[in-house]
Amino acid sequence: MQGTVVRVLWLVATFFAVAIGAAGSAQAGLVTIDFENDATGFYFNGYQSPSSADVVFSSTESRSTDPHDYISIDHFGQGSHGKGLAISSGNPGLGAGLIMDFLKPTDFLSLEFGNDDPDQSFTGLKQVVLTLFSGGLQVGQSIVAPNKNGIMDQNIAYSGQFFDRARFFFIDDFDFPALVNPIVDNVAYQNHTGPGGINNVPTPGGFLLFSIGLLAAYARRKRLVLR
């Protein structure tokens, strides 16, 4: 009888460990937006790709009434891999950057960039900067030196604390947004669902410890009974 109960408890513990482990894996997944399913055209701020409802794209430009001054989806030759997303500025003397708002907890972001040609800007091109925010507070930043060939053959990434907003800029030689329109493609991010993100998912190890505790309590009870 004792052996039967122990086997049953072990099977229950194993079942819950596997189930919770699978749930934890399902909570997090890498999503990539390659813009191939997006319709070419010009869009105002607040654009969402049909490939994902979790990310909202906007330009730092906010004053123009012309959609040409915000976001465009198109084939940009060597500046993208197939279709890509380009950012524009309605002010010819002010560079623009890309804002990405994430609707679910996110702790990883990677994107490829192109059109990093300093000849398009009389103020040069010094850095590519990706800055991450959570609740308006900066939580991380990645900086890459562009190879300045105008071709989409580099990427920038961040992995670390949870964030809900990312800002992507080309920075000129004077530490201002460069007068070059950034193009991005293959935006990949790690998506976490559920209240508080994946950190709230119980671990399989926790269930195993709980089950071992049950086994120990059962064994102690049997010894007391036998006495």
Side-chain angles (χ1 to χ4, degrees):
M1 178 62 180
Q2 181 178 358
T4 301
V5 173
V6 170
R7 284 195 295 273
V8 170
L9 286 173
W10 180 253
L11 288 173
V12 170
T14 303
F15 170 79
F16 276 108
V18 172
I20 295 302
S25 299
Q27 293 275 12
L30 187 67
V31 181
T32 300
I33 304 174
D34 61 11
F35 303 106
E36 293 306 308
N37 295 322
D38 298 47
T40 57
F42 298 92
Y43 300 91
F44 285 108
N45 285 345
Y47 176 77
Q48 287 184 281
S49 168
S51 299
S52 171
D54 300 328
V55 187
V56 178
F57 296 94
S58 300
S59 168
T60 54
E61 169 64 52
S62 62
R63 296 163 296 178
S64 175
T65 58
D66 186 347
H68 292 75
D69 295 332
Y70 290 91
I71 293 171
S72 59
I73 304 291
D74 210 336
H75 296 270
F76 296 102
Q78 292 184 319
S80 63
H81 301 303
K83 292 181 184 178
L85 182 149
I87 294 298
S88 302
S89 172
N91 188 334
L94 182 65
L98 172 65
I99 298 174
M100 291 166 280
D101 287 308
F102 295 85
L103 306 183
K104 295 178 181 178
T106 307
D107 64 357
F108 171 80
L109 174 63
S110 172
L111 58 87
E112 296 182 65
F113 62 87
N115 203 37
D116 52 332
D117 184 354
D119 292 338
Q120 298 186 47
S121 169
F122 61 87
T123 58
L125 177 59
K126 181 173 67 175
Q127 293 177 328
V128 178
V129 179
L130 179 67
T131 308
L132 297 309
F133 300 86
S134 178
L137 299 176
Q138 181 177 328
V139 296
Q141 187 175 73
S142 297
I143 299 176
V144 170
N147 57 24
K148 303 179 182 181
N149 61 5
I151 299 172
M152 181 167 284
D153 58 359
Q154 287 184 275
N155 81 303
I156 190 168
Y158 171 82
S159 178
Q161 297 188 54
F162 284 100
F163 56 87
D164 55 27
R165 169 170 282 200
R167 292 169 64 93
F168 173 80
F169 279 95
F170 285 171
I171 302 298
D172 68 15
D173 296 338
F174 302 93
D175 294 323
F176 289 103
L179 301 175
V180 179
N181 295 337
I183 300 174
V184 301
D185 202 352
N186 293 325
V187 177
Y189 62 94
Q190 190 79 11
N191 186 327
H192 295 275
T193 60
I198 194 171
N199 291 336
N200 281 352
V201 178
T203 63
F207 272 90
L208 286 175
L209 288 174
F210 175 73
S211 301
I212 292 171
L214 287 178
L215 291 173
Y218 176 79
R220 175 178 169 78
R221 180 176 179 276
K222 288 295 293 183
R223 285 198 301 269
L224 290 174
V225 171
L226 290 174
R227 288 177 185 174

